[in-house]
Amino acid sequence: MPHNRKRKSAVKITLQDVAREIGVSAITVSRALREPDKVSDDLRNHILGVVNRMGYVPDPHARALASGTSTFIGVLLPSLSHPAISAVLNGIEARIRGTDYRIQYSNSHYDPEEEVRQLRAFAAHNPAGVILAGTERLENLETMANEAGCPVVQTIDCSLKMNGLAVGINHRLAAAAATRHLLAQGYRRIAMLGCGHDIRVRLRQSGYCEVMQQAGLFDEGLIVWQDAPPSIHLGSRLIRRLIEQRPDVDGVLCHSDDLALGVIFESQRLGIRVPDDFGICGFNDLDYATSTEPSLTTVRVPRFDIGYKAADMVITLGQGGIVQQRTTDVGFELMERGTTRRMKKAASA
Amino acid sequence: MPHNRKRKSAVKITLQDVAREIGVSAITVSRALREPDKVSDDLRNHILGVVNRMGYVPDPHARALASGTSTFIGVLLPSLSHPAISAVLNGIEARIRGTDYRIQYSNSHYDPEEEVRQLRAFAAHNPAGVILAGTERLENLETMANEAGCPVVQTIDCSLKMNGLAVGINHRLAAAAATRHLLAQGYRRIAMLGCGHDIRVRLRQSGYCEVMQQAGLFDEGLIVWQDAPPSIHLGSRLIRRLIEQRPDVDGVLCHSDDLALGVIFESQRLGIRVPDDFGICGFNDLDYATSTEPSLTTVRVPRFDIGYKAADMVITLGQGGIVQQRTTDVGFELMERGTTRRMKKAASA
DNA sequence: CTGTTAGCGCTTTCAT
DNA sequence: ATGAAAGCGCTAACAG
């Protein structure tokens, strides 16, 4: 006699119920669902029909407990407030749609301690895999990743020699390309605006420094960094400060489009002509980059693809597949737009 | 003799292991962890120490299976690409920090079918609760919510008479307040820009219509709507189209700040003076609203609080607590800024 | 306050 | 190709 257990309102239909209804054993139904080949065609079709009719849904917890694996994918982000980061989640989500995988989401708020704690929490859930979209302390994570007992994919930078799986771009090269573009457009006193602790900032800065040094134009004073999340407001503040200290600055590479947009607004307020007297390059190619006035030159990073491919790795490995490339470079693209489209370039230095 | 099962690399420590180590029964350790009062102080402290030392982490799946409840909170969002929505997630996440609850995240992409499917998937996981941040078809959801066997909190609108839990604002009143503000600033031919299927659009539109009708200024042609996600670009496009059709339009209430920002940029391009000749009001009070040029008048919606309180309801109910207010109005605030700060107001109609 | 027993729903292993 | 038995790790229910 079925009786409501716990606080479940709807009566729960179990594998047993379905099996009894059909007159087979539970394991056969289970197999029909998971290993179709191992059940004869007729029986399988019959079973699938009854499963549907009865509205049976497997209990993921029982499954996880019995099999030692689950269909959870842990996703650890450093923030959600940033569109560039949520785009990765969108990609993950796109890959997962239509499968039984589910996203278990967690936010480290750029806190290394929290990152490790969350990764540990994930591990306790026997996840199918974990995707990391940002991290402060790679060393610890590598150790933990090895102990996690499941694939761990980092999506920070594809050049990072982590002993694991990675999908991303090479941020150093991307920043270098952006800096070269600014130089090619005739800007000389090019600043770099950065923020946050993310490894990416460091990598991009090194790309910028490299190119500026090669050009003989490096000036440490042109590097502005603040420990804060990226925001439009921060961009305005940082550029104002910089212009006070280095009035001759004539271009800027920003760590993110948000900062760049802040710079655009501040330029409007200060009456600085963009791109004629001042060049601006962002990073990420967010939605609004084509809509700003002038439109924003920036580095397109295929965030969505990154998420998609990271999830794909997890799923492939989970199904016993083999991932040929443990490290995938999805590439970046420099989007040359209005904020650096200067007609009369300065005479070459 | 412990042997590695499945693909777990680290040997899993179980309740049994801890119990054996101490010389008590498993249930006592379990109780020390969950119901501290039921275990003597000395024993409990000892147990907790050993638990820590051995690095024992309870298996959530086993827990869920045995108890019929879990510490998962299902969060169903219609999108992630929108900052206003991710802010709700941030709030949820803030409430959850430090607890054992985990977020199981899902995205409906504004698709009603998908919403129902996802809600069903959640239900199979015995979640502690489900939080809905947007929905297209309330009717279905209500039924499902009742069958979910766990608290379901909607965060769409606090005035909605759903037979359940709700946290939010009254969107009709908010839009009405914004429209009244535009009128008070002397704008007369005020348009409404909307997009998407979200119930909120309809509610806000009705607030706008109400006020415009009362003022005797209603004109259906001033309502522009498009079935698309909100974006800056869309704002630009819609306002351009509207100005072609109704050149005398002198103000606009936008369904979101994104649209409003697009209007700002388009005004710059068209040489329209804001706020002198044209007033703009957004919705949500996103980060950048204070940074735009001019700064953006908008309706602040405490998204973070909404998420926080929704999660709080779930947790309270999950712990056997009682939620006195099944419906919570967190209130809105009209942020009067530059885009409607007109010095010389038109003579009153 | 502590222990015993049973079982959550499913999958594994080993038979047939 | 199908089934029986056992058990995943934990908690509920009932003792004592």
Side-chain angles (χ1 to χ4, degrees):
Chain A
M1 195 88 48
H3 59 288
N4 281 5
R5 273 180 51 76
K6 316 297 154 47
R7 39 137 249 251
K8 299 301 297 178
S9 59
V11 183
K12 179 153 202 166
I13 294 155
T14 71
L15 208 52
Q16 280 293 353
D17 298 335
V18 179
R20 212 159 15 221
E21 172 82 14
I22 302 179
V24 293
S25 74
I27 186 63
T28 303
V29 179
S30 174
R31 279 202 270 253
L33 259 25
R34 294 175 302 115
E35 306 164 291
D37 307 343
K38 298 198 170 179
V39 178
S40 70
D41 287 11
D42 284 358
L43 183 52
R44 184 180 57 243
N45 290 139
H46 182 206
I47 290 176
L48 261 37
V50 176
V51 161
N52 254 320
R53 182 162 52 71
M54 297 180 72
Y56 165 71
V57 184
D59 182 323
H61 300 297
R63 231 174 211 189
L65 183 57
S67 70
T69 57
S70 77
T71 51
F72 283 105
I73 296 181
V75 178
L76 182 50
L77 307 180
S79 157
L80 251 192
S81 313
H82 207 272
I85 292 173
S86 51
V88 176
L89 227 186
N90 277 328
I92 295 171
E93 214 251 314
R95 176 59 184 85
I96 283 180
R97 290 192 103 180
T99 73
D100 282 336
Y101 288 91
R102 313 235 85 215
I103 292 174
Q104 205 183 317
Y105 150 83
S106 204
N107 190 326
S108 70
H109 293 274
Y110 292 103
D111 175 353
E113 306 285 322
E114 188 66 15
E115 247 173 4
V116 173
R117 215 175 299 135
Q118 294 291 354
L119 191 49
R120 198 168 281 147
F122 278 146
H125 286 251
N126 285 347
V130 174
I131 297 172
L132 305 174
T135 183
E136 311 283 320
R137 273 201 223 146
L138 266 184
E139 322 77 45
N140 281 351
L141 285 174
E142 184 154 9
T143 317
M144 299 218 47
N146 293 336
E147 288 171 359
C150 69
V152 176
V153 186
Q154 61 98 340
T155 63
I156 303 148
D157 189 290
C158 63
S159 74
L160 255 35
K161 295 277 175 295
M162 228 176 119
N163 178 27
L165 302 152
V167 185
I169 68 163
N170 186 316
H171 290 274
R172 192 176 51 75
L173 295 182
T179 310
R180 256 185 242 109
H181 167 69
L182 285 163
L183 286 172
Q185 294 302 103
Y187 304 106
R188 285 295 171 266
R189 298 285 292 159
I190 302 165
M192 165 109 208
L193 255 54
C195 62
H197 285 288
D198 200 289
I199 294 177
R200 281 168 268 241
V201 197
R202 276 176 267 157
L203 293 168
R204 290 183 197 161
Q205 221 167 69
S206 77
Y208 157 86
C209 292
E210 237 172 77
V211 171
M212 290 299 277
Q213 274 160 353
Q214 277 167 17
L217 292 166
F218 181 74
D219 172 359
E220 205 177 352
L222 290 174
I223 298 179
V224 182
W225 179 89
Q226 182 151 338
D227 181 10
S231 74
I232 295 168
H233 183 67
L234 182 65
S236 296
R237 241 180 33 227
L238 291 182
I239 198 66
R240 204 180 319 130
R241 199 169 79 194
L242 179 66
I243 288 174
E244 279 164 18
Q245 293 169 0
R246 294 282 198 283
D248 60 342
V249 60
D250 68 352
V252 61
L253 171 60
C254 299
H255 175 60
S256 83
D257 284 352
D258 288 335
L259 296 180
L261 185 51
V263 172
I264 291 180
F265 286 133
E266 194 62 23
S267 305
Q268 291 174 359
R269 276 186 282 269
L270 295 173
I272 297 175
R273 297 188 314 158
V274 176
D276 297 333
D277 300 334
F278 195 77
I280 306 171
C281 180
F283 217 107
N284 282 334
D285 194 28
L286 298 187
D287 270 4
Y288 56 70
T290 55
S291 307
T292 55
E293 183 52 33
S295 58
L296 179 61
T297 292
T298 185
V299 178
R300 167 173 293 175
V301 182
R303 305 276 170 183
F304 184 91
D305 296 357
I306 289 175
Y308 193 94
K309 291 196 172 152
D312 193 57
M313 278 186 178
V314 168
I315 292 175
T316 303
L317 288 170
Q319 293 172 346
I322 290 170
V323 171
Q324 62 295 61
Q325 279 186 294
R326 295 182 65 83
T327 288
T328 303
D329 185 345
V330 292
F332 60 86
E333 187 181 356
L334 184 65
M335 310 304 288
E336 304 185 12
R337 301 208 184 92
T339 52
T340 58
R341 193 171 294 136
R342 158 141 93 167
M343 289 301 111
K344 44 166 197 273
K345 302 184 185 181
S348 55
Chain B
M1 195 91 44
H3 58 289
N4 281 7
R5 275 180 52 78
K6 316 297 154 47
R7 39 139 249 253
K8 301 301 294 178
S9 59
V11 183
K12 182 154 202 165
I13 294 156
T14 71
L15 208 52
Q16 281 293 355
D17 298 334
V18 179
R20 211 159 13 219
E21 173 81 13
I22 303 179
V24 294
S25 73
I27 187 68
T28 304
V29 179
S30 173
R31 278 200 272 252
L33 258 24
R34 293 175 303 115
E35 307 164 291
D37 307 343
K38 297 197 169 178
V39 178
S40 69
D41 288 10
D42 285 357
L43 184 52
R44 184 181 57 244
N45 290 140
H46 183 204
I47 290 176
L48 262 35
V50 176
V51 161
N52 255 318
R53 182 161 53 71
M54 297 181 71
Y56 165 72
V57 184
D59 181 323
H61 300 297
R63 231 175 211 189
L65 183 57
S67 69
T69 58
S70 76
T71 49
F72 283 104
I73 297 182
V75 177
L76 183 49
L77 307 181
S79 156
L80 251 192
S81 313
H82 207 271
I85 292 173
S86 51
V88 176
L89 228 185
N90 277 328
I92 295 171
E93 213 251 313
R95 176 60 184 85
I96 283 181
R97 289 193 104 182
T99 74
D100 282 336
Y101 288 92
R102 314 235 84 214
I103 293 175
Q104 205 183 314
Y105 151 83
S106 205
N107 189 326
S108 70
H109 293 272
Y110 291 104
D111 175 353
E113 306 286 323
E114 188 66 15
E115 248 173 4
V116 173
R117 214 174 301 135
Q118 295 291 354
L119 191 48
R120 198 167 281 145
F122 278 147
H125 286 250
N126 285 348
V130 175
I131 297 172
L132 304 174
T135 182
E136 311 283 320
R137 273 202 222 146
L138 266 184
E139 323 77 45
N140 281 352
L141 286 173
E142 184 153 11
T143 318
M144 298 218 49
N146 292 337
E147 290 171 358
C150 69
V152 176
V153 187
Q154 61 98 340
T155 62
I156 303 148
D157 190 291
C158 63
S159 74
L160 256 35
K161 294 276 176 294
M162 227 175 120
N163 177 26
L165 302 151
V167 185
I169 69 164
N170 186 316
H171 289 274
R172 191 177 52 74
L173 294 182
T179 310
R180 256 184 242 108
H181 166 68
L182 284 163
L183 286 171
Q185 294 302 102
Y187 304 106
R188 284 297 168 268
R189 298 286 291 160
I190 302 165
M192 166 109 207
L193 255 51
C195 62
H197 285 287
D198 200 289
I199 294 175
R200 280 169 269 240
V201 198
R202 276 176 267 158
L203 293 167
R204 290 182 197 163
Q205 219 166 73
S206 77
Y208 157 87
C209 292
E210 237 173 78
V211 172
M212 290 299 277
Q213 274 159 353
Q214 277 167 18
L217 292 166
F218 181 74
D219 172 359
E220 204 177 353
L222 290 174
I223 298 180
V224 182
W225 178 89
Q226 183 153 336
D227 179 11
S231 72
I232 295 169
H233 182 67
L234 182 65
S236 296
R237 239 178 37 223
L238 292 181
I239 197 67
R240 204 179 320 132
R241 200 169 77 194
L242 179 66
I243 289 175
E244 279 164 19
Q245 293 168 1
R246 292 284 196 283
D248 60 340
V249 59
D250 70 350
V252 61
L253 172 59
C254 300
H255 174 60
S256 82
D257 284 352
D258 288 335
L259 295 180
L261 185 50
V263 173
I264 291 180
F265 286 133
E266 194 63 22
S267 305
Q268 290 175 358
R269 277 186 281 269
L270 296 173
I272 298 173
R273 296 188 315 156
V274 175
D276 296 334
D277 300 333
F278 195 77
I280 305 171
C281 180
F283 217 106
N284 281 335
D285 194 27
L286 299 188
D287 270 5
Y288 57 71
T290 54
S291 307
T292 56
E293 182 54 32
S295 58
L296 179 62
T297 291
T298 186
V299 179
R300 167 173 293 176
V301 182
R303 304 276 169 183
F304 183 93
D305 295 358
I306 289 176
Y308 193 96
K309 291 194 173 155
D312 193 58
M313 278 187 179
V314 169
I315 292 175
T316 304
L317 288 169
Q319 295 172 344
I322 290 169
V323 171
Q324 62 294 63
Q325 279 186 294
R326 295 181 64 81
T327 288
T328 303
D329 185 346
V330 291
F332 61 87
E333 186 182 355
L334 184 65
M335 309 305 288
E336 306 184 11
R337 300 210 183 91
T339 52
T340 58
R341 193 171 294 136
R342 157 141 93 166
M343 289 302 111
K344 42 168 199 267
K345 302 183 185 180
S348 55

